[in-house]
């Protein structure tokens, strides 16, 4: 099945906006609809020597989060590894029959994600996909297909990301028999709904609409969140952004900070909190404003921030599902302030449209 995008919308609410606000209900439905397939896939993965995750772009960021979920919540330890699909296909050895490969691909049409799945199946391994409804036919060779949502009308994918993360979390909880994680995941849609109405996102975007560079920084599972937030900014409002791991920033990139930038710290409680705090202190000395995504009741990082967004208290490994939401909204409202269409990835502009026509995915 070939998916064709609808005509672009000329103004707010763009498709991206609707997808962001549909996420709580979508996560409930996706977890319920995939319950039986999750059990079968989890049972199969338990018996394997290795589990590899493969994706590109937003899907690769989901794989980075999934790597830790499966390692810790799923109790697979060092048997789990996340790969960018291009690298897995072209640079890494073929997997063996005792390897499971989870390919995350919303549209199911990207060349290297499809080739990653074929590589797994050709070696006799187990193939699992996490994909959207109506995705490409090439993914149907998988042994298990976990399905998220309808194909997104916006090029800046949001709802397909958080539903894929939710399925990875549910798969990890099923493999590891982690009831606490499963219960926390069940409560998450209600927490997300509250988060969606927590802030005046338009006002927040207006305060930071003219920054030279936007730094998104997190650690552990929120390294992927930082990467994803930077990507959404590139896609939706075309800002100059950097998404980085907190420790990596402290090893050099902090020196590029200017007072005209902004640092967004994704810093719930966990091992990366202290390193985010160190960066926040450095930013304050330089005069760079900080936006903090912190747990409710936080005092240390909050005291350094020009603005804080509070997250509910949930296990750190699940926080990327919630932390993505305020960053999506910030990105969206920044697009409105900057006068860009967040749905088109600039394909409606002649030079960028020609550029996009010059390469295949």
């Amino acid at each position: 099945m070939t998916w064709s995008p609808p005509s672009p919308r000329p103004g707010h609410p763009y498709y991206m906006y609707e997808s962001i606000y549909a996420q709580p209900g979508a996560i409930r439905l996706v977890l319920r609809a995939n319950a039986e397939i999750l059990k079968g896939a989890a049972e199969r993965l338990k018996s394997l020597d290795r589990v590899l995750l493969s994706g590109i772009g937003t899907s690769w960021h989901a794989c980075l989060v999934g790597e830790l979920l499966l390692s810790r919540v799923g109790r697979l330890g060092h048997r789990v590894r996340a790969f960018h699909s291009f690298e897995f296909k072209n640079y890494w050895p073929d997997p063996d029959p005792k390897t499971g490969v989870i390919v995350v691909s919303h549209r199911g049409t990207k060349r290297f994600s499809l080739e990653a799945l074929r590589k797994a199946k050709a070696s006799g391994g187990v193939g699992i996909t996490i994909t959207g409804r109506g995705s490409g036919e090439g993914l149907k060779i998988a042994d298990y297909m976990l399905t998220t949502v309808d194909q997104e009308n916006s090029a800046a994918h949001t709802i397909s990301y958080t539903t894929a993360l939710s399925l990875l979390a549910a798969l990890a909880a099923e493999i590891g028999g982690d009831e606490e994680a499963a219960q926390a995941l069940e409560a998450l849609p209600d927490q997300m709904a509250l988060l969606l109405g927590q802030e005046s996102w338009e006002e927040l975007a207006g305060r930071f609409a003219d920054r030279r560079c936007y730094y998104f920084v997190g650690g552990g599972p929120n390294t992927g969140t930082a990467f994803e937030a930077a990507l959404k900014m590139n896609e939706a409002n075309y800002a100059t952004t950097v998404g980085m791991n907190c420790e990596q920033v402290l090893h050099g990139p902090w020196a590029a900070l200017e007072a005209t930038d902004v640092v967004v710290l994704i810093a719930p409680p966990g091992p990366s909190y202290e390193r985010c705090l160190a960066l926040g202190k450095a930013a304050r000395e330089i005069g760079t404003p900080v936006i903090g995504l912190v747990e409710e009741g936080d005092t240390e990082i909050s005291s350094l921030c020009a603005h804080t967004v509070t997250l509910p208290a949930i296990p750190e490994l699940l926080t990327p599902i919630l932390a993505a939401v305020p960053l999506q909204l910030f990105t969206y409202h920044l697009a409105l302030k900057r006068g860009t269409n967040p749905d088109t990835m600039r394909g409606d502009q002649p030079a960028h449209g020609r550029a996009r026509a010059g390469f295949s995915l």
Side-chain angles (χ1 to χ4, degrees):
M1 175 179 178
T2 302
W3 179 82
S4 299
S7 300
R9 287 181 173 174
H12 172 74
Y14 291 100
Y15 292 115
M16 182 182 179
Y17 181 84
E18 291 181 349
S19 291
I20 291 170
Y21 279 89
Q23 289 174 114
I27 289 172
R28 285 193 195 92
L29 291 173
V30 162
L31 292 176
R32 191 179 309 146
N34 287 276
E36 289 306 311
I37 301 174
L38 280 165
K39 290 179 182 177
E43 200 59 37
R44 189 79 178 273
L45 290 175
K46 286 180 188 178
S47 65
L48 300 178
D49 292 342
R50 282 164 299 280
V51 177
L52 312 180
L53 298 105
S54 179
I56 301 170
T58 288
S59 295
W60 179 55
H61 303 155
C63 289
L64 291 174
V65 179
E67 180 181 49
L68 277 176
L69 283 166
L70 291 169
S71 175
R72 300 291 297 277
V73 176
R75 296 180 171 86
L76 295 180
H78 294 98
R79 294 154 61 191
V80 184
R81 177 78 189 271
F83 290 90
H84 191 283
S85 294
F86 175 84
E87 303 290 326
F88 176 61
K89 167 60 176 67
N90 291 297
Y91 289 98
W92 288 85
D94 291 345
D96 61 29
K98 293 292 286 180
T99 299
V101 177
I102 302 171
V103 173
V104 183
S105 176
H106 179 58
R107 299 219 191 281
T109 56
K110 300 297 187 292
R111 170 186 168 189
F112 290 108
S113 289
L114 291 171
E115 291 187 5
L117 180 61
R118 293 188 196 112
K119 185 171 181 172
K121 292 295 293 176
S123 300
V126 177
I128 296 172
T129 59
I130 297 178
T131 188
R133 287 196 288 266
S135 60
E137 293 291 315
L139 294 182
K140 292 188 176 178
I141 64 170
D143 299 282
Y144 300 91
M145 182 175 286
L146 299 166
T147 307
T148 57
V149 292
D150 289 331
Q151 295 301 310
E152 290 201 59
N153 293 329
S154 176
H157 288 181
T158 52
I159 191 169
S160 57
Y161 178 66
T162 53
T163 51
L165 289 183
S166 299
L167 285 174
L168 285 166
L171 182 61
E174 189 70 38
I175 293 170
D178 193 324
E179 287 298 323
E180 181 182 353
Q183 290 173 9
L185 185 58
E186 192 174 313
L188 191 142
D190 288 337
Q191 294 168 325
M192 183 180 286
L194 291 173
L195 190 60
L196 282 164
Q198 181 176 297
E199 302 281 338
S200 174
W201 304 107
E202 184 178 4
E203 179 184 343
L204 181 62
R207 288 176 60 191
F208 298 100
D210 59 350
R211 299 286 102 183
R212 182 190 73 118
C213 184
Y214 298 80
Y215 287 79
F216 294 91
V217 180
N222 285 305
T223 300
T225 307
F227 292 167
E228 175 62 10
L231 175 61
K232 288 290 96 76
M233 293 277 285
N234 293 153
E235 292 174 339
N237 60 52
Y238 324 143
T240 300
T241 65
V242 179
M244 297 191 76
N245 172 273
C246 54
E247 186 66 21
Q248 189 69 17
V249 177
L250 294 173
H251 286 256
W254 68 271
L257 283 177
E258 301 286 354
T260 51
D261 299 330
V262 63
V263 173
V264 181
L265 295 177
I266 306 140
S272 62
Y273 182 90
E274 292 301 321
R275 304 311 275 164
C276 287
L277 177 63
L279 179 60
K281 290 177 178 178
R284 181 178 61 180
E285 295 298 327
I286 295 164
T288 310
V290 175
I291 299 172
L293 273 65
V294 294
E295 187 173 281
E296 188 173 358
D298 175 86
T299 56
E300 289 191 277
I301 287 180
S302 295
S303 69
L304 305 172
C305 292
H307 186 87
T308 58
V309 176
T310 57
L311 303 173
I314 62 172
E316 184 191 12
L317 292 174
L318 296 180
T319 58
I321 306 172
L322 287 181
V325 171
L327 299 175
Q328 293 167 353
L329 286 165
F330 179 68
T331 294
Y332 178 84
H333 284 282
L334 206 61
L336 300 185
K337 294 294 182 183
R338 294 167 66 92
T340 68
N341 185 326
D343 293 336
T344 62
M345 207 183 295
R346 224 169 184 170
D348 53 345
Q349 298 182 14
H352 288 78
R354 292 193 303 273
R356 175 63 187 86
F359 59 88
S360 63
L361 297 176

